[in-house]
Amino acid sequence: MSTPSNRTLNAVELQVNGVAYPVAIETSRNLSGVLRDEVGLTGTKEGCDDCECGACMVLLDGQPINSCSYLAVQAQGREITTIEGLADGDDLHPLQRNILAMGGVQCGFCTPGMLMSATALLERNPTPTEDEIKIGLSGNLCRCTGYAKILDSVAATAVEIS
Amino acid sequence: MTLTIATSLDDILAGLAQGARPIAGGTDLVVGSRQGKGSLPDTLIAIDRVAELNTIDVGADATRIGSGVTHARLMTDTTVVEQFTSIADASALVGSPATRNVGTLGGNVMNGSPAMDTGAPLVVLGAKAELASTSGTRTIGLDELWTGPGQTSANEDELCVALVIPNRPTASGSAYVRLEYRRAMEIAIVGAAASVEFDGDAIGAVNVALTAVAPTILEVTGLNGIVGSALDDATLAQVAEIASEQAAPISDLRASDKYRRHTIGVMARRAVDAAARRAAGEQIAVPVNRALGVGAVQ
């Protein structure tokens, strides 16, 4: 991105996975970069940096957003959930357990974003149809799996939790 | 650069008067800056937490949709889905769930792209834009608002606060269809919106507007000839021909001008057909593209 016209740092507190993180950042910084480089949570990936691939998907007040193209300062006062917020200690979230068990992870780069979209989908619709799962994950690209195993693991999770 | 999070419309208008630029979801502004299309404005004011911009108010004669209402809400809101269905059709096709969660109606309209999905529906529904600044409020037609690709006639200190749409007559319906190569994260190759009102069994009124075939959204003229006709194959063929004739498309990496000119006729015909079926009481789920298999297949 272009060089900011000045380098003024903003003292901002970001609420991530229930923890408050004070950071000092420039206004132009994107949320994915701040999560990775300032907060230190590198589960969120940067793929296209163009709002196309969904690797950077996080939840903002429970709804998925592309964090590569969202200004971090604009997330003040909102609850951010990243992939690190899904597991309960060592107990994996059912979505994580199922996608591993069902072979929905190959290179793994898209997985965090996929699971954040899936989390939001199941939160608002615990019994999605196959088409609703496809629409829910339509902002997430995977170049390895061919999607079938990912979709299967979301469907299996829906059955498990509903 | 700085960003201030506004909590009231007065905050926003005062900020704009001092040269700040508005940001809602940032799905055009921030993405554009990261693609190198332009740098971010030096002073930004975030408008997405201002309640006054997030309302849908049904009045006696018109419905006022706040500019901050997101696509995710437009595609499911009962008033929009039942009364202004073409807007719901269009909003459901924008980007992905993530884009629709933060992308807004006002952002789509003021970004001024000729490929904007909500533009053609707003035109066929007769919407006007309400622009506010510290010096007052004015309401203008969309033909006056959009002046070219990415350009509007709004002053720098004006914010689009709402789109105002006349309430719908009985026996009317609207629809938006678009040509797309994939089912998500797509921009219209071409698209068409239609509004149809029946007078008995005949067409009482018809409006058609076209997406991505001219420097701005193009309202089709000369459809008076089919008013009074039945909605049959010959009428739909006439709509397709008129739409193709009036389109002024360009060639780019997404499609050639010839392909756009041909397919816009097909989209216009399908939009009128779907709008008429809705006007006749048929329930066609939002978006038409998915319900009727108009767009990209899986």
Side-chain angles (χ1 to χ4, degrees), chain B residues 225-269:
Chain B
I226 65 168
V227 171
S229 313
L231 192 102
D232 55 17
D233 208 51
T235 309
L236 291 172
Q238 216 177 327
V239 169
E241 195 184 323
I242 293 172
S244 284
E245 269 172 22
Q246 290 180 17
I250 57 167
S251 290
D252 60 16
L253 79 168
R254 300 167 55 71
S256 69
D257 54 354
K258 283 183 184 167
Y259 183 65
R260 280 198 168 98
R261 187 180 294 283
H262 172 73
T263 51
I264 193 61
V266 180
M267 294 302 122
R269 177 194 172 109

Side-chain angles (χ1 to χ4, degrees), chain A residues 5 49-51 74 134, chain B residues 24 34-35 42 49 185 298:
Chain A
S5 56
D49 199 7
D50 189 20
C51 253
Q74 215 182 335
K134 286 181 179 174
Chain B
R34 299 192 74 77
Q35 288 174 331
D42 203 45
R49 300 187 204 192
M185 301 311 299
Q298 293 186 50

Side-chain angles (χ1 to χ4, degrees), chain A residues 1-2 5-6 27-28 30 49-52 57 63-66 68-71 73-78 131 134-136 138-139, chain B residues 1-3 5 23-26 30-31 33-35 39-40 42 44 46 48-49 96-102 182-185 298:
Chain A
M1 118 174 266
S2 57
S5 56
N6 62 50
T27 305
S28 59
N30 61 353
D49 199 7
D50 189 20
C51 253
E52 296 275 351
M57 202 74 72
Q63 296 301 321
I65 60 157
N66 291 113
C68 74
S69 302
Y70 198 85
L71 298 178
V73 289
Q74 215 182 335
Q76 291 172 81
R78 305 244 196 238
D131 212 39
K134 286 181 179 174
I135 292 170
S138 63
Chain B
M1 66 178 281
T2 62
L3 180 144
I5 296 175
I23 180 170
V30 181
V31 175
S33 77
R34 299 192 74 77
Q35 288 174 331
S39 53
L40 286 171
D42 203 45
L44 283 170
D48 57 318
R49 300 187 204 192
S96 69
T99 323
R100 297 191 288 267
N101 282 329
V102 292
R182 53 180 180 175
R183 294 190 70 179
M185 301 311 299
Q298 293 186 50

Side-chain angles (χ1 to χ4, degrees), chain B residues 11-223:
Chain B
D11 275 359
I12 299 171
L13 299 183
L16 297 188
Q18 289 164 19
R21 302 302 298 148
I23 180 170
T27 55
D28 284 311
L29 187 69
V30 181
V31 175
S33 77
R34 299 192 74 77
Q35 288 174 331
K37 279 185 187 165
S39 53
L40 286 171
D42 203 45
T43 314
L44 283 170
I45 187 152
I47 64 172
D48 57 318
R49 300 187 204 192
V50 173
E52 294 146 278
L53 299 177
N54 285 304
T55 56
I56 298 177
D57 297 313
V58 183
D61 302 317
T63 296
R64 192 175 172 281
I65 304 181
S67 59
V69 174
T70 62
H71 296 296
R73 183 169 165 203
L74 290 169
M75 63 187 269
T76 52
D77 179 86
T78 309
T79 299
V80 178
V81 169
E82 288 178 2
Q83 300 296 315
F84 311 111
T85 322
S86 50
I87 296 176
D89 285 331
S91 295
L93 298 180
V94 172
S96 69
T99 323
R100 297 191 288 267
N101 282 329
V102 292
T104 63
L105 182 63
N108 205 221
V109 167
M110 296 307 286
N111 193 48
S113 165
M116 70 174 90
D117 285 307
T118 60
L122 288 166
V123 167
V124 299
L125 295 169
K128 289 177 185 273
E130 191 179 312
L131 305 176
S133 71
T134 49
S135 2
T137 298
R138 64 184 176 126
T139 303
I140 64 171
L142 296 175
D143 53 343
E144 196 184 332
L145 179 70
W146 296 319
T147 52
Q151 292 175 341
T152 73
S153 62
N155 298 319
E156 289 279 296
D157 65 344
E158 283 181 316
L159 183 78
C160 174
V161 291
L163 281 300
V164 182
I165 312 172
N167 289 336
R168 302 287 289 161
T170 53
S172 68
S174 70
Y176 175 73
V177 298
R178 81 174 185 195
L179 180 65
E180 55 193 8
Y181 296 146
R182 53 180 180 175
R183 294 190 70 179
M185 301 311 299
E186 183 60 303
I187 297 170
I189 315 303
V190 297
S195 165
V196 172
E197 183 186 346
F198 275 113
D199 179 7
D201 290 337
I203 297 169
V206 58
N207 298 86
V208 176
L210 311 177
T211 307
V213 292
T216 60
I217 299 294
L218 183 70
E219 183 164 21
V220 175
T221 57
L223 292 172

